[in-house]
Amino acid sequence: MSRPFTAEDLRRWEAHAVPAWVYKGVLLVGWGVAFGYAVTTTSGCTPAAPCYPDPWLSVFAAALLATPVLLWREPVLGCALGAGFGLVEVVFEAHEGIRLAFGLHGLACVAVALWLVEARRAQHRVFGGISRPVLVPHPTPVRFTGRSVVAVLMLLVGVLALGKYAVDSTDAAEHTAAAVRVSGTVVTVGEYDVTLELPSSRRTFDVLVPASYAVGMDVPVLVDGQWAELVAEPEDVTFPLTVMALTLGMAAFLRLRDVAGRRAWQRVFATPSPSVEVLVRADPRGRAVLHTVDGKPFGSMPVSRPFEDDRMLAVGDLSYGGWVVLVGADTVLLPNRPLRPYHRTVPRFDDPGEELLGVALEIPPLPFPVQPHHRDVVASRWLFAAAVFLTAGAATLDGPIVLTALWTAGTCAVAGWVRGRPSAVFHQDHATVRSWLRTYHVPWSAVTSIRRDGDRLVLELDSGARFTLAQSRRPVTELGAIARRLHDTSPHGGELTSRFGGALPVALFFTLAAGAVLLLT
């Protein structure tokens, strides 16, 4: 029999955890300071010392851009990237100040990474001292195909980015070999560019430091027909390499996460593994939130299937960053990612509110969409407008900021689609419920409870699955009465099924649009 995981056990177990403010606060601020110092440090380019594009720097820039995101989501990997980029800067950076800034940040990342690894080992030792070994029955294999689809898309974008770099670099090399060196006179100096009067035309060039140029200055230029570039600042065509490194790194990360998860499951199923008894509740997004048996939350992770709040066995590696399998009386929940800290109070969904027993006298025309609340519709329009604005803006930008603009635009597009669409559609014999990435076919005959959670309608099934609809413009009591009437008059039979849908088509479409922007800029 497994031992209950109590608040006293949690105090001993969590005493070894690294405080979140260390990597989400100190390291992020340090990265911001180092990055801000690097981009604001002026370094003029001259014909004697041109600013040649550096392909390797563009590749390593992917680690720089990914570091703050991973420090927030995957702190060990974020620290590893921060330390790696700091080492590259110390070895290859010529500017002493930039070398010092990223070198210090890299050292801090190394120290925190070692702390995180040792904290996980200490937590596992505490877990091993209070756990009992159990043998978990092997469940039906689960494949997280959504993550594989994203990995394949990332791989495709990475290959396209590499192809674009090869084409652009070959084209630039051919023009440079055939170009003639001429002298141009600076006629205007803009905020980010300069305009030169050439012997046959007037051209505008983007420059790194406009203050290095003055009106009337003679500047050497390479010209090959309609193509031209400054001798001091050759055109930088290496940005696709940053895109390639980011996307290929993401694809590798998703693939390695699948491999690590499957190996962790196999270890649990193959031999008796340590376990403790915990209380497991679902948060609003359906993730499993682990609590002590006396109700104190400490960690969360998405799992392979819907579940009902209950006491379960946490089996495997109970530590932040470890893989934990949850075993109930008649179910096994496989983790989709390692355990992360979670300390917010989860609403009690076992009693979200009153049972809605009213029955509608008349059923509205079917299918009946559960339209979103007016404020969600307004928010959806603003989010779509922001997505369009950011995408159009990204097409006019250069450098790593393009990725930030496109990522934000994609997030706005997906969020706008989800908030502006009906969260469910009622049919005679079933309800179609939409989530972020899936669409569920919920037979009315399988619904055992129709409740309210504030202004939201909750459908509970006999399998333990629970669906909470987004707040609607109609009163929740009216929606509950319609659902109750459909439930009472629907034929028996049918089972809960799901398919890919929701916002996935929007995400895929925007991925293609973002790829087009990256290829054309």
Side-chain angles (χ1 to χ4, degrees), residues 195-236:
T195 301
L196 304 183
E197 186 70 42
L198 302 178
S200 59
S201 64
R202 176 174 290 192
R203 303 291 294 270
T204 299
F205 300 90
D206 294 330
V207 293
L208 295 175
V209 186
S212 302
Y213 300 85
V215 175
M217 177 187 295
D218 290 332
V219 179
V221 181
L222 294 178
V223 178
D224 178 26
Q226 297 299 317
W227 179 89
E229 72 175 12
L230 298 174
V231 173
E233 300 188 39
E235 182 183 3
D236 189 355

Side-chain angles (χ1 to χ4, degrees), residues 45-70:
C45 306
T46 65
C51 297
Y52 290 115
D54 188 347
W56 285 109
L57 178 60
S58 295
V59 172
F60 288 121
L64 171 67
L65 298 176
T67 296
V69 177
L70 291 175

Side-chain angles (χ1 to χ4, degrees), residues 124-151:
H124 193 65
R125 288 194 296 268
V126 173
F127 173 55
I130 63 177
S131 63
R132 301 290 186 273
V134 297
L135 184 61
V136 179
H138 201 296
T140 303
V142 175
R143 296 182 180 274
F144 297 103
T145 53
R147 195 156 56 195
S148 300
V149 169
V150 175

Side-chain angles (χ1 to χ4, degrees), residues 31 35 39 57-58 61-62 64-65 236 239 242-243 246 394 397-407 518:
W31 180 91
F35 182 77
V39 298
L57 178 60
S58 295
L64 171 67
L65 298 176
D236 189 355
F239 175 64
T242 303
V243 178
L246 281 172
L397 298 174
D398 293 313
I401 195 173
V402 174
L403 295 179
T404 302
L406 289 176
W407 179 268
L518 293 175

